[in-house]
Amino acid sequence: MAISPETIEEVRRTANVYDVISEYITLEKAGSNYKALCPFHAEKTPSFIVSPQKNIFKCFGCGKSGTAVSFVMDYEGISFSEAVIKIAQKYNIPVKYTKSEENFEHLKSLFRVTDKIALFYKNQLKNFTEPKEYLKKREILYTTADIFDLGYSPENNKGLISFCKKEGISLEELKEIGLITEKEDGYIVDKFRGRLIFPIRDHRGRIVAFGGRSIKEDQQPKYINSPETKIYSKSKVLYGFYEAKDYLREKKWAVIVEGYLDLISLYQVGVRNVVATLGTAFTENHGELLRKFINKAVLMFDNDKAGKKAVIRASKVLLSKNIDVYYTPLEDGKDPDDLAKKGVKAVEETLKGSKYIFDFLLERIVEEKELKKKGEIVDLYLEMVSVIPERTKQGLLVKKLSEEAGLQESYIELKKKNSGGSVESEINITDYLSKAEKLILKTLLLKKDSLLSRFDKFDKIEGSGNFEILLRAILNNEEIEEELLEEILTSEEVADVDAAVYALELKYKAWLKKENELYLSVNKDPDDSFLKKLQEEVKKTFLGGGVKK
């Protein structure tokens, strides 16, 4: 369901870049602008500039720039639509949609239900001795349990049914969030009865599902999770991500574990930049979620066969997102929860001992004597190298393999990169693209190589939010929904490389104008090197030299 173009335009027109950004970071007055330490990279001297007059921000350290909407997208790690909604709420702008709002309102009602159910479970934990004793046995403090809103589902359903009647929650809504089953005789069964409850939040902090852990030895299975629902897709949610988001942004690296208690125990001893996969395979969506916040990940999975497979899968996804991967093998039969119980020093030492995944594999290759197994590890090494987007890094890693494993580079072939990821479109966003934007996208789809050989400044153009979403998807070879693809390809615009290059040049000129105006507003006396660079850039751009011939 698309946000109406009228709402998007009103948000862009109303949102003040200073008002929005100052809610996230401290800004200091600097002439007519404001400055701060950049929230997107580590620095000691402020190079992050906010210009209320131009209504844009720019970091002269890392180069990141944009509007209030793009700042919220990058800082929160959310989509364009989510950022628009968040800012609209700040300014009390009614969010209108291009299709019926019934489905949207229904989803909102389900989130209200999960919030109420989570509160019910949390209160029950206070009333029952058995789950409190279990937490004590697992050495989970009350304050930690409170941070993660842990709860308890009583064996008897009467309390839950009574609570739902009082709160106006229907049985149908409980079924929709995957909480209950109804037997043939009409008897209602809470799927999580008798279990410790872990509310599962999405990246925006909304409770989308629940996990349950048995507290009795004979209760099987040990863990159960909510099924997939209208508001929960396990491939898109990382447990603990919402709680860890600020720490991930600050540290730029994450510890990735598999289970609830693994995460909670590490969090309790001070490792706050930790997320968990909840036993599901690490997906492209998980990688994309983390990519916006980190450049390094430490995998701390169980050391059994399943754990090692999970490490391989997660490594490939993370490496494809240009995230460096480190591996921390644990003792056989032990997990991160056991490690955390040894104290913060033991955890810190283990993390310091984590190895770059390629160094870890190289050690296995050198140590392995059996030729077949050695070959399998070499193949795995090359598979992982092949998903890295940077060619230079690929070359260096292949060279390292050749030197340390005694293999000739001419015998080493990278396997073809299998692009993962997808862009799903719930919305008909092509209706809100300009003719020039449709022309660019259509040409990029049909004559990509020719266009890329003529223009390479796609990160430095001004365009609508919808255009930027689709442009990024096409450039990254992400899968686009067939219906949306067809709309672009059947548009009346003709795919023409020359026309597309001309349209892109205009968008680049608009971007360059903003950049230079902001720089000059910050630096009243620019140095000669900048003026020379500016002169060359303007000359190249306006005389047609800014694109490849």
Side-chain angles (χ1 to χ4, degrees), residues 489-513:
L489 293 174
T490 56
S491 64
E492 62 183 18
E493 283 69 33
V494 177
D496 183 279
V497 175
D498 288 334
V501 169
Y502 178 73
L504 285 164
E505 281 182 310
L506 293 178
K507 287 185 174 293
Y508 173 61
K509 288 173 186 176
W511 175 88
L512 186 64
K513 186 174 181 237

Side-chain angles (χ1 to χ4, degrees), residues 212-229:
R213 208 287 184 195
S214 61
I215 59 177
K216 296 178 181 177
E217 293 296 330
D218 60 348
Q219 192 177 20
Q220 294 297 327
K222 194 191 315 186
Y223 285 98
I224 60 171
N225 293 321
S226 294
E228 299 253 329
T229 66

Side-chain angles (χ1 to χ4, degrees), residues 170-211:
S170 69
L171 293 180
E172 192 56 40
E173 286 175 318
L174 293 179
K175 290 177 185 175
E176 281 196 80
I177 64 171
L179 197 79
I180 64 168
T181 53
E182 186 174 6
K183 295 191 174 182
E184 292 181 4
D185 60 3
Y187 184 72
I188 304 300
V189 178
D190 179 354
K191 295 178 182 177
F192 297 94
R193 63 194 182 282
R195 292 174 180 271
L196 188 67
I197 301 297
F198 303 86
I200 300 171
R201 297 180 183 274
D202 67 6
H203 63 289
R204 293 174 60 184
R206 302 174 299 188
I207 296 174
V208 294
F210 297 94

